[in-house]
């Protein structure tokens, strides 16, 4: 084995070890953050879970409300999934210091045919993904599509989206560089659909050494790109490529209109209604229940998984009647805030012996009262999400905190609550008026 | 026709059983416009000889606006009282003309001890039509008219009912047109989530103003609603577009009652 091969093996092993350790830590941290949430109150249908995951995550079932965009997204998605096959050989080559180890060591003609077919498919899909990526860059940066231009997308979220798209271009370019240089080096060997023609045509005049170098640049560029992506992913909105699967699997299955009843309130009412307990002395050691959510730890783990699954596409905000009419509420921002707040709290806990930094998700820094009050609970955001995120569930839990813990309520709502509590009616009419409609 | 409505209390005292309870709701009881919907639906029930009753003074707010506003306590107190009364009468079937009452009775009462077969009146009407119990003798009053249907959030997205109301409307001798946002993408009227009871948050326009532009674009004569709160919002939208007299908002029950010839309808 030549020294350059040994150097490459060592470089590959140390790079992959580094990436797996660093990214692994971050993925574990995300798992811990999601575990901050409370238990979910549901009795799911197991087979529906699988169906949802297969139809909506794997099959992209909810993307097809906008066909052109769905097709562009599908190109990138299928290319991404299918290209993983090539990674098997890239890893094998990296560890052994060999070159196209599968192609060269399995000499059956059927395997050579299969290998050529797979690489050619990867090339076709990569080209489609490349075209889609240019469309996406144009849509995001040149066209004024409202959902990409909302205030919550300014700065990092906008850059994050572009970085991933540029990254995609680099990855695809490296694949073609690697295959093309290889094809130019061995013109009679490979029959890859694009690079066996383009490679010799564009790079054919170059020296063998240069071609070899270009092939290495392509190979190393691709694998460092993939490994770098693994590190970048948990810091980016792009985590949905992994979390869409558990998120659709664990998605709520009840009718969208059903808001869970708070068990703690049911218990309080039972105690009140029961004459044996209503006037009994309160046990001072008993834990006082808190109602609704003020911070991420008050939400359920599914709410938190939702936040990490959000790719900030803004289909929710695009359908939100409050946002469409210029109100501050944006369901996407609720999800982004939930995630940012989780990260902030986790960072605080790392450097402090205290459990809590005194801040909260329900605050002017994150989700404001004005945003929460603008929601009509219409479920348009829930319906629009391609990965079954439920922003409304979080909004309702924070509304509960405002009313039940902080007694923060608009005057008109206080009048509404008074009517319901005192007149059993949404307006302060006497019960005796309830039959007046029969009088004509 | 003369309305004859009995309460559960009356019928129970007379020792009679009731097939279905008509849950009128607060809007249907107190809001002047919504009361007309209540009357129209009661007339249909009576005309189809449905054995029904109402709770009258024993009915209370379901607690929907309190719950959506975040006041779980007020909601559960209200639910508790209603469930006591409903269970006391042994109610099995409920029909209601309000999709908010429908949603909360159907989905949120069961875990508090109130399990009933709950139906929204649009589905109930569809069943009556399918059973041949509704005869639309006067459906030609809608001849040459355009009707557009507004999906309420609590019937549509919340409970997935999009087709029943459209099938009911298809019985009328009119042309059905869809708004730009319809079915699962239907645009809210702006009243849900207890917004009906408070001023809007600061913004560029009201939600019903936006919806009214989509209504106007259809050039429909009639906007069909299925919710008393949408009714208020959509009528307000019609006046914002200066379409009073040209565009009319009616509940499905009113349209069917007119088609049956048991209630007059003014389309001018």
């Amino acid at each position: 084995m030549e020294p350059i091969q040994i150097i490459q093996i060592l470089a590959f092993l140390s790079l992959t070890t580094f990436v797996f350790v660093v990214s692994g830590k971050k993925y574990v941290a995300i798992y811990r953050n999601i575990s901050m949430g409370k238990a979910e109150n549901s009795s799911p249908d197991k087979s529906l879970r699988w169906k949802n995951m297969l139809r909506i995550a794997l099959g992209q079932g909810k993307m097809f409300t906008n066909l052109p965009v769905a097709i562009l997204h599908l190109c990138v998605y299928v290319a991404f999934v299918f290209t993983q096959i090539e990674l098997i050989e890239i890893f094998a080559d990296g560890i052994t210091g060999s070159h196209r180890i599968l192609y060269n060591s399995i000499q059956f003609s059927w395997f050579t045919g299969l290998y050529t077919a797979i690489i050619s498919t990867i090339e076709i899909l990569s080209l489609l993904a490349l075209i889609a990526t240019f469309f996406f860059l144009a849509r995001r940066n040149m066209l004024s599509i409202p959902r990409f231009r909302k205030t919550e997308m300014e700065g990092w979220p906008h850059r994050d989206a572009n970085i991933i798209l540029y990254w995609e271009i680099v990855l695809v370019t490296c694949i073609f560089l690697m295959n093309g240089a290889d094809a130019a080096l061995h013109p009679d060997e490979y029959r890859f659909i694009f690079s066996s023609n383009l490679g010799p045509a564009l790079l054919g005049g170059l020296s063998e050494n240069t071609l070899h170098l270009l092939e290495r640049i392509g190979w190393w560029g691709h694998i460092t790109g993939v490994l770098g992506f693994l590190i970048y992913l948990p810091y980016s909105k792009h985590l949905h490529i992994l979390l869409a699967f558990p998120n659709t699997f664990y998605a709520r299955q009840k009718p969208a209109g059903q808001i869970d009843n708070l068990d703690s309130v049911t218990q309080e009412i039972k105690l009140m209604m029961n004459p044996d307990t209503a006037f009994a002395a309160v046990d001072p050691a008993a834990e006082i229940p808190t109602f609704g959510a003020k911070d991420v730890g008050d939400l359920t783990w599914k709410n938190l998984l939702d936040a990490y699954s959000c790719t900030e596409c803004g289909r929710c905000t695009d359908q939100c009647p409050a946002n469409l009419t210029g109100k501050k509420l944006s369901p996407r921002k609720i999800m982004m805030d939930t995630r940012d707040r989780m990260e902030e709290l986790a960072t605080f806990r790392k450097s402090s012996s205290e459990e809590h930094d005194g801040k909260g998700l329900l605050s002017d820094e994150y989700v404001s009262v004005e945003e929460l009050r603008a929601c009509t609970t219409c479920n348009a955001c829930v319906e629009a999400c391609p990965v079954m995120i439920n922003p409304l569930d979080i909004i309702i839990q924070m509304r509960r905190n405002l009313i039940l813990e902080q007694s923060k309520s608009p005057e008109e709502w206080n009048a509404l609550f008074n009517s319901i509590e005192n007149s059993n009616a949404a307006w302060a009419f006497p019960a005796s008026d309830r039959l007046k409609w029969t009088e004509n | 026709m003369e309305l004859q409505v009995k309460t559960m209390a009356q019928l129970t005292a007379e020792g009679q059983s009731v097939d279905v309870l008509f849950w009128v709701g607060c809007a249907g009881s107190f809001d002047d416009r919504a009361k007309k919907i209540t009357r129209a639906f009661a007339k249909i029930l009576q005309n189809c000889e449905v054995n029904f009753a109402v709770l009258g003074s024993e009915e209370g707010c379901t607690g929907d606006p309190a719950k959506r506003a975040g006041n779980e306590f007020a909601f559960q107190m209200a639910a508790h009282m209603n469930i006591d009364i409903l269970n006391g009468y042994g109610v099995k079937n409920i029909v209601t003309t309000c999709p908010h009452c429908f949603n909360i009775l159907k989905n949120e009462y069961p875990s508090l001890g109130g399990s009933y077969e709950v139906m929204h009146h649009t589905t109930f009407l569809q069943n009556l039509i399918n059973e041949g119990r509704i005869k639309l003798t006067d459906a030609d009053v809608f001849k040459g008219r355009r009707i557009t249907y507004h999906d309420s959030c609590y019937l549509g997205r919340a409970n997935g009912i999009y087709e029943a109301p459209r099938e009911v409307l298809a019985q009328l001798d009119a042309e059905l047109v869809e708004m730009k946002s319809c079915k699962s993408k239907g645009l809210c009227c702006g009243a849900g989530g207890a917004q009906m009871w408070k001023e809007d948050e600061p913004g560029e326009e009201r939600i019903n103003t936006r919806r009214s532009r989509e209504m106007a674009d259809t050039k429909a004569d009639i906007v069909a609603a299925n919710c008393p709160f949408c009714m208020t919002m959509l009528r307000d939208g019609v006046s914002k577009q200066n379409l009073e007299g040209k565009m009319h908002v009616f509940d499905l029950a009113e349209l069917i009652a007119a088609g049956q010839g048991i209630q007059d309808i003014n389309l001018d």
Side-chain angles (χ1 to χ4, degrees), chain A residues 2-67:
Chain A
E2 290 174 41
I4 184 77
Q5 275 177 291
I6 295 170
I7 292 169
Q8 288 201 46
I9 292 175
L10 290 175
F12 181 82
L13 289 177
S14 33
L15 181 69
T16 44
T17 314
F18 172 78
V19 169
F20 282 123
V21 170
V22 170
S23 65
K25 269 186 166 172
K26 184 65 187 167
Y27 289 106
V28 169
I30 287 175
Y31 179 80
R32 287 217 184 101
N33 287 352
I34 293 170
S35 310
M36 283 197 282
K38 295 188 166 165
E40 272 275 306
N41 179 13
S42 66
S43 44
D45 172 344
K46 298 249 162 58
S47 71
L48 186 58
R49 280 183 158 179
W50 286 103
K51 268 185 221 157
N52 279 341
M53 189 174 77
L54 292 175
R55 184 174 69 84
I56 293 164
L58 193 70
Q60 315 236 313
K62 287 189 82 180
M63 285 293 288
F64 284 86
T65 45
N66 182 345
L67 193 62

Side-chain angles (χ1 to χ4, degrees), chain A residues 65-66 254-270 272-273 291 318-328 369-384 392 396 399-404 410-413 415-417 419-421 423-440, chain B residues 3 5 7 22 24-31 35-36 38-39 42 52 54-61 63-78 80-81 100 103 106-112 153-154 157-159 162 184-188 190-208 210 229:
Chain A
T65 45
N66 182 345
K254 294 167 234 179
Q258 180 178 341
I259 295 173
D260 283 338
N261 297 326
L262 257 188
D263 286 340
S264 48
V265 169
T266 314
Q267 294 311 319
E268 291 277 305
I269 291 176
K270 267 192 193 148
M272 262 173 48
M273 297 288 185
F291 302 109
D318 209 30
Q319 294 290 323
C320 172
N323 192 279
L324 284 170
T325 52
K327 278 89 177 172
K328 242 179 110 185
V369 177
E370 183 181 329
E371 288 163 70
L372 295 174
R373 292 238 176 99
C375 177
T376 68
T377 68
C378 77
N379 266 302
C381 56
V382 179
E383 176 73 32
L392 176 56
I396 291 288
R399 276 189 171 185
R400 283 175 178 165
N401 190 272
L402 279 178
I403 305 276
L404 300 176
E411 269 310 300
E412 307 104 300
W413 274 4
L416 165 72
F417 302 151
S419 295
I420 293 176
E421 281 164 357
S423 323
N424 291 338
W427 295 280
F429 287 99
S432 54
D433 281 4
R434 280 201 183 258
L435 277 173
K436 282 203 165 163
W437 61 271
T438 56
E439 294 162 12
N440 210 1
Chain B
L3 256 184
V5 181
T7 61
F22 174 19
V24 178
C26 296
S29 305
F30 304 126
D31 178 281
K35 280 193 226 169
K36 293 184 185 172
T38 313
R39 265 200 297 279
F52 78 101
V54 297
L55 282 174
S57 60
E58 289 187 288
E59 192 183 286
C61 173
D64 167 83
K67 179 159 186 127
R68 266 77 198 156
N71 195 337
E72 181 76 7
F73 202 85
F75 154 66
Q76 287 202 20
M77 287 296 284
H80 195 91
M81 287 194 281
H100 293 265
N103 175 71
K106 174 176 165 282
N107 295 321
E108 291 162 22
Y109 273 41
S111 79
L112 299 174
C153 304
Y154 275 81
R157 275 186 295 270
N159 289 290
Y162 302 107
S184 65
K185 289 199 158 201
L187 181 66
C188 176
Q195 298 294 338
M196 184 77 188
W197 283 268
K198 74 173 190 45
E199 290 297 315
D200 288 358
E201 298 308 309
E204 288 151 19
E205 63 177 349
R206 301 202 71 198
I207 294 169
N208 60 349
R210 189 180 173 95
F229 302 106

Side-chain angles (χ1 to χ4, degrees), chain A residues 36 67 108 116 128 135 145 171 179 186 189 247 272 275 298 314 322-323 336 338 359 394 406-407:
Chain A
M36 283 197 282
L67 193 62
F108 302 110
T116 307
L128 290 173
F135 271 107
I145 293 166
L171 284 175
N179 289 351
H186 315 280
E189 183 80 45
N247 206 57
M272 262 173 48
D298 303 322
N323 192 279
M336 293 165 76
T338 304
K359 298 182 189 176
I394 297 179
Q406 307 182 41
S407 301

Side-chain angles (χ1 to χ4, degrees), chain B residues 32 70 103 156 168 194 209 256:
Chain B
D32 283 339
N103 175 71
V168 169
T209 311
I256 292 299

Side-chain angles (χ1 to χ4, degrees), chain A residues 68 71 122 201 303 351 413 437:
Chain A
I71 290 170
I122 288 173
N303 298 141
S351 62
W413 274 4
W437 61 271

